[in-house]
Amino acid sequence: MGSRVPPLGIPIDASDTVLERLVLEETGKAVLSGERSSLLGREQNGGASPGSSPINVARREIFSRSISGSKSLSNDDIDLEDGKAAKDRDKNSRNYKSLKIQNQAILSGLAYCLSSCSMILVNKFVLSSYGFNAGISLMLYQNFVSVIIVSILSLFGVISTEPLTWRLIKVWLPVNVIFVGMLITSMFSLKYINVAMVTVLKNVTNVITAIGEVYLFKKQHDNKVWAALFLMIISAVSGGITDLSFHAVGYAWQIVNCFLTASYSLTLRRVMDTAKQVTKSGNLNEFSMVLLNNSLSLPLGVLLVILFNEVDYLTRTPLLKMPMFWLVMTLSGVLGLAISFTSMWFLHQTGATTYSLVGSLNKIPLSIAGILLFKVPTSPENFFSILFGLLAGVFFAKAKLRERSQS
């Protein structure tokens, strides 16, 4: 759901180099102007006065030259030492900045990977291990937690969000309906399918999105992109055939989720420009989108909870009387919000290229963790299909980045 932040594309020390060059130029100009002024002063005031003799003038000149020479030598020594110290300071400063940026990039990348993996694993734990049969209610509670946290942060000025106006709500409502459907179908599919197969089947979303871009936006993809999409389809089909824990209901929900996720991405592109026009600042950042989506999902979620008769289940289940269960559900809501924060942080520290590749590679440890933690029965054929699908996702990310750089 996160919006893409364009990378700055500027070397870390480029501004320092330019500034250093300007400072040297200005210093050179000041030195030259100082020499000119001193020469001009000598021409105006250093000539023989009526009461001075040529010998006295010559003596004063020799004496002043000797004094100025010794001063210049000592000043040159000081300047050389200061120059070396300044260079050392600049070098240490640049090394410190570079090290700081690298540490920030690594830290933000780890935070993004940890939050995204943990979110899916915690949801799987709530739905499968606890046997919680109210996926809509779980989605509703997670969105409620996100709204509370974002509102508090906005109130204290930590982040900036757009005010929710009726004009903005009307424009955004179609996107929000798809967003809610996307979250609910993801909950339903995750209850029946193991994490590894969910990550592989989600690749189908890329296929649907690519086809939608061709027909809706007249966008042309190169052969490498289509080849990667074809490999994704093969991996999804072979993974489903070799899945020892195959569940038809879960696969059906996941296919619907792929269509809704692709529809959300395509609809968001159409609505985004209109939504920006109806905001007060003319912009819609990620935090505003999180607040907008999660706030609008609350009344729709309550309606769906009533329609799907989850109220009756919630009144009968003993899980809601367990403090640990509430803690895990709250943690899942915090992790869902953390994905938005860490993804934006990671994008700012690196760029779209690294972000996309890390997002694709992140599915590999997630799939392995899902198989090991939930003791999923698997076969060599199924494991190879999953690995094949994950590598196809990495190949697709690289092909898309190459296509983007060429265009």
Side-chain angles (χ1 to χ4, degrees):
M1 189 204 72
S3 58
R4 293 292 180 263
V5 182
L8 293 175
I10 302 172
I12 298 301
D13 55 348
S15 57
D16 294 340
T17 305
V18 174
L19 181 61
E20 190 176 317
R21 190 175 301 167
L22 289 174
V23 169
L24 288 173
E25 289 176 358
E26 292 299 323
T27 306
K29 291 176 182 178
V31 171
L32 289 174
S33 63
E35 289 179 354
R36 289 195 190 100
S37 62
S38 64
L39 288 173
L40 185 61
R42 285 180 184 177
E43 289 177 358
Q44 291 177 349
N45 302 322
S49 60
S52 63
S53 66
I55 296 173
N56 291 332
V57 172
R59 286 176 180 174
R60 282 198 301 267
E61 186 67 24
I62 293 170
F63 180 75
S64 63
R65 283 182 183 177
S66 62
I67 294 296
S68 62
S70 63
K71 284 183 179 179
S72 64
L73 284 173
S74 62
N75 287 336
D76 286 343
D77 292 338
I78 295 171
D79 289 341
L80 285 173
E81 291 177 0
D82 289 344
K84 289 180 181 178
K87 286 181 179 179
D88 291 339
R89 284 196 299 269
D90 291 340
K91 186 177 180 180
N92 293 334
S93 177
R94 282 195 291 269
N95 291 336
Y96 174 74
K97 287 181 181 178
S98 178
L99 183 62
K100 187 177 180 181
I101 293 296
Q102 289 176 2
N103 291 339
Q104 288 282 330
I106 294 172
L107 185 62
S108 60
L110 289 174
Y112 167 67
C113 293
L114 184 63
S115 60
S116 59
C117 289
S118 301
M119 173 67 179
I120 297 176
L121 294 175
V122 170
N123 280 346
K124 179 67 177 176
F125 183 71
V126 172
L127 295 168
S128 297
S129 299
Y130 274 109
F132 189 62
N133 293 321
I136 302 174
S137 300
L138 177 59
M139 181 273 301
L140 182 64
Y141 182 73
Q142 289 176 347
N143 292 358
F144 176 73
V145 171
S146 297
V147 170
I148 295 297
I149 296 175
V150 172
S151 299
I152 292 174
L153 292 177
S154 178
L155 182 64
F156 284 95
V158 179
I159 60 174
S160 60
T161 56
E162 289 291 327
L164 303 183
T165 61
W166 282 111
R167 292 180 63 193
L168 183 59
I169 291 173
K170 289 178 183 178
V171 171
W172 199 261
L173 194 58
V175 180
N176 186 255
V177 172
I178 302 174
F179 172 76
V180 172
M182 180 181 70
L183 293 182
I184 292 174
T185 52
S186 176
M187 293 287 186
F188 288 165
S189 65
L190 196 60
K191 179 176 176 59
Y192 299 104
I193 311 177
N194 65 75
V195 174
M197 280 309 303
V198 166
T199 56
V200 172
L201 292 173
K202 280 183 178 293
N203 287 335
V204 179
T205 302
N206 297 323
V207 180
I208 302 171
T209 304
I211 296 173
E213 287 175 339
V214 171
Y215 285 97
L216 295 177
F217 302 103
K218 308 300 179 184
K219 184 177 181 180
Q220 299 298 322
H221 300 289
D222 60 20
N223 293 331
K224 287 189 176 182
V225 173
W226 289 116
L229 294 173
F230 181 69
L231 294 177
M232 288 178 179
I233 296 174
I234 293 176
S235 67
V237 173
S238 60
I241 294 172
T242 58
D243 188 6
L244 299 180
S245 57
F246 178 85
H247 200 291
V249 175
Y251 272 73
W253 279 119
Q254 185 55 49
I255 292 171
V256 176
N257 175 260
C258 290
F259 276 97
L260 288 174
T261 305
S263 301
Y264 177 78
S265 176
L266 296 170
T267 307
L268 191 63
R269 297 185 190 183
R270 289 182 174 273
V271 175
M272 184 66 75
D273 292 335
T274 308
K276 288 180 180 179
Q277 293 174 2
V278 298
T279 57
K280 290 186 177 181
S281 66
N283 191 20
L284 195 66
N285 59 26
E286 173 135 350
F287 302 123
S288 298
M289 289 173 59
V290 170
L291 182 61
L292 187 60
N293 265 329
N294 291 326
S295 298
L296 294 181
S297 69
L298 296 182
L300 186 57
V302 171
L303 179 62
L304 291 173
V305 166
I306 297 172
L307 290 176
F308 279 79
N309 198 25
E310 287 190 358
V311 178
D312 183 53
Y313 170 78
L314 293 174
T315 55
R316 290 185 292 104
T317 181
L319 292 173
L320 298 183
K321 298 178 182 179
M322 299 170 56
M324 183 58 66
F325 180 73
W326 281 103
L327 180 63
V328 174
M329 282 214 308
T330 305
L331 176 62
S332 66
V334 174
L335 287 172
L337 183 61
I339 294 175
S340 299
F341 283 87
T342 55
S343 62
M344 178 176 283
W345 182 26
F346 188 39
L347 270 169
H348 278 299
Q349 294 298 326
T350 55
T353 303
T354 307
Y355 178 81
S356 300
L357 290 177
V358 170
S360 299
L361 292 170
N362 191 37
K363 295 178 181 179
I364 298 175
L366 172 62
S367 301
I368 296 173
I371 293 173
L372 296 177
L373 290 176
F374 297 101
K375 299 179 174 61
V376 178
T378 184
S379 62
E381 295 81 8
N382 183 249
F383 185 78
F384 177 76
S385 299
I386 293 170
L387 184 61
F388 183 73
L390 297 174
L391 293 177
V394 176
F395 180 58
F396 172 77
K398 293 185 68 175
K400 285 288 288 182
L401 292 169
R402 178 177 172 274
E403 181 186 66
R404 189 185 306 166
S405 63
Q406 288 179 347
S407 61

